[in-house]
Amino acid sequence: MSEISVPVLEQIEQLGPFGMANAVPKIVFRDVVIKDVRKIGKEGKHLKLRIQQKRDVMDAISFGWGHLADILPVGTVVDVLGELSVNEWNGSRKVQLMVQDIRASYQQVFDYRGIQEPLKEIQRWRADLEPHLRCPAARSAVVYAKDSHPEIKTQLYDMCLWVYDRNAGVLPDNEIAENHNQEDISVLFVLDVPETAEQLDGFMSAFHSVPNIFMLHPTRSQRERLLIPDREQFKKLVRLHSTGMTSSPMAGGTRLLRVCSSRLPCLHAC
């Protein structure tokens, strides 16, 4: 990005005229950080980003992709592909990128804990995002506690459904899940958290490579909210770290409860 400037773009334009036999050059910026994201245009149909690579910053526009603003929070690291153009405004000329594709470089975890009617939200997200994430229903999965969502098999019948098991960790709960490898899953919706250490181990083993995870489980207390620690909480954390987590073994359920209810800031999920 540091090598891109208006004069450089003017040199590229000399390769024109561009058309079917001479396509407009496309450029890829890798590992750029999203510094700002917002929807623009009528009904927020378009996406405007401000991206940064090292010390260099550039504006980026994507027409018709406004819905992606909900899953590209500030701080997300992405690769972007697009065509360069010059934006002229009030006598100022600067380079901007017309985005044609975006890829998240690392696993994304979206924190929607405590959301109302999670099954309806899953259906809405699928309708909005599946065409753009290139993710058919069979590559989307849901994991939940047994009997916690009796209507799930009728509402999400075409997805991979997984249920927690006390011994096995997680087990497939419909034929689609039985016939698809966990490695092929692109989007995972978590409706309930594991209740035992065995379930947590099974969950981590089965879904460790899923690139997009939506946390939709209920919040049990205000302590599960992601907050910046105050001075006293930070002091407790330092003492805990210096003295060790515990002086005696704990049962698996107690250990899991402590992890889930005493989360560190900036962790995405239990």
Side-chain angles (χ1 to χ4, degrees):
M1 189 181 293
S2 61
E3 299 176 358
I4 303 300
S5 63
V6 172
V8 169
L9 185 54
E10 291 173 343
Q11 293 180 26
I12 294 176
E13 290 175 346
Q14 293 179 15
L15 300 174
F18 299 112
M20 292 292 294
N22 185 29
V24 177
K26 294 178 173 56
I27 189 167
V28 175
F29 293 118
R30 300 191 185 279
D31 292 333
V32 299
V33 180
I34 295 178
K35 304 300 291 184
D36 185 48
V37 55
R38 53 194 172 100
K39 300 177 182 179
I40 60 174
K42 186 178 180 180
E43 299 177 353
K45 289 185 177 180
H46 310 305
L47 178 70
K48 183 172 184 179
L49 303 173
R50 192 159 179 81
I51 56 177
Q52 181 175 355
Q53 189 180 62
K54 297 182 179 179
R55 296 183 178 181
D56 299 287
V57 179
M58 179 182 296
D59 288 335
I61 304 290
S62 183
F63 293 111
W65 285 14
H67 56 279
L68 293 183
D70 297 329
I71 59 170
L72 290 173
V74 171
T76 302
V77 180
V78 296
D79 300 333
V80 292
L81 176 145
E83 299 174 1
L84 296 171
S85 66
V86 175
N87 181 31
E88 299 189 28
W89 180 255
N90 288 338
S92 174
R93 304 178 76 229
K94 61 180 181 179
V95 177
Q96 67 179 7
L97 183 70
M98 310 306 294
V99 178
Q100 297 179 343
D101 203 358
I102 302 176
R103 180 182 67 181
S105 305
Y106 307 98
Q107 185 182 64
Q108 292 183 284
V109 181
F110 305 98
D111 186 3
Y112 290 98
R113 290 171 299 168
I115 196 169
Q116 299 297 317
E117 300 183 296
L119 298 188
K120 289 185 178 180
E121 289 299 319
I122 290 175
Q123 292 173 319
R124 181 182 67 81
W125 280 321
R126 287 180 58 195
D128 290 343
L129 301 178
E130 277 184 2
H132 305 279
L133 295 178
R134 305 177 184 91
C135 179
R139 295 188 62 188
S140 300
V142 185
V143 61
Y144 52 94
K146 186 176 181 180
D147 301 326
S148 62
H149 301 275
E151 71 280 21
I152 193 170
K153 290 188 177 181
T154 57
Q155 294 191 24
L156 305 178
Y157 60 90
D158 57 344
M159 299 178 65
C160 293
L161 302 180
W162 292 79
V163 65
Y164 292 115
D165 180 78
R166 184 166 295 275
N167 297 317
V170 291
L171 290 174
D173 203 31
N174 66 352
E175 186 175 349
I176 299 177
E178 291 176 351
N179 295 331
H180 284 78
N181 194 313
Q182 297 100 313
E183 299 294 329
D184 296 329
I185 295 174
S186 294
V187 181
L188 176 66
F189 298 96
V190 181
L191 297 182
D192 299 290
V193 295
E195 294 292 339
T196 68
E198 290 76 18
Q199 291 177 359
L200 178 61
D201 290 342
F203 174 89
M204 297 299 292
S205 175
F207 305 116
H208 69 278
S209 61
V210 176
N212 304 286
I213 301 177
F214 287 77
M215 303 300 294
L216 308 175
H217 64 84
T219 53
R220 299 178 181 178
S221 71
Q222 191 64 22
R223 292 183 302 173
E224 285 197 36
R225 294 293 183 184
L226 294 182
L227 300 173
I228 297 176
D230 57 29
R231 188 181 185 88
E232 290 302 316
Q233 290 172 331
F234 188 77
K235 288 166 61 177
K236 290 180 181 179
L237 179 63
V238 172
R239 287 198 298 268
L240 183 65
H241 176 72
S242 61
T243 59
M245 291 295 292
T246 181
S247 58
S248 59
M250 291 185 294
T254 303
R255 181 170 65 253
L256 182 61
L257 179 60
R258 178 172 294 185
V259 171
C260 290
S261 61
S262 303
R263 300 157 55 104
L264 297 179
C266 300
L267 294 181
H268 293 293
C270 296

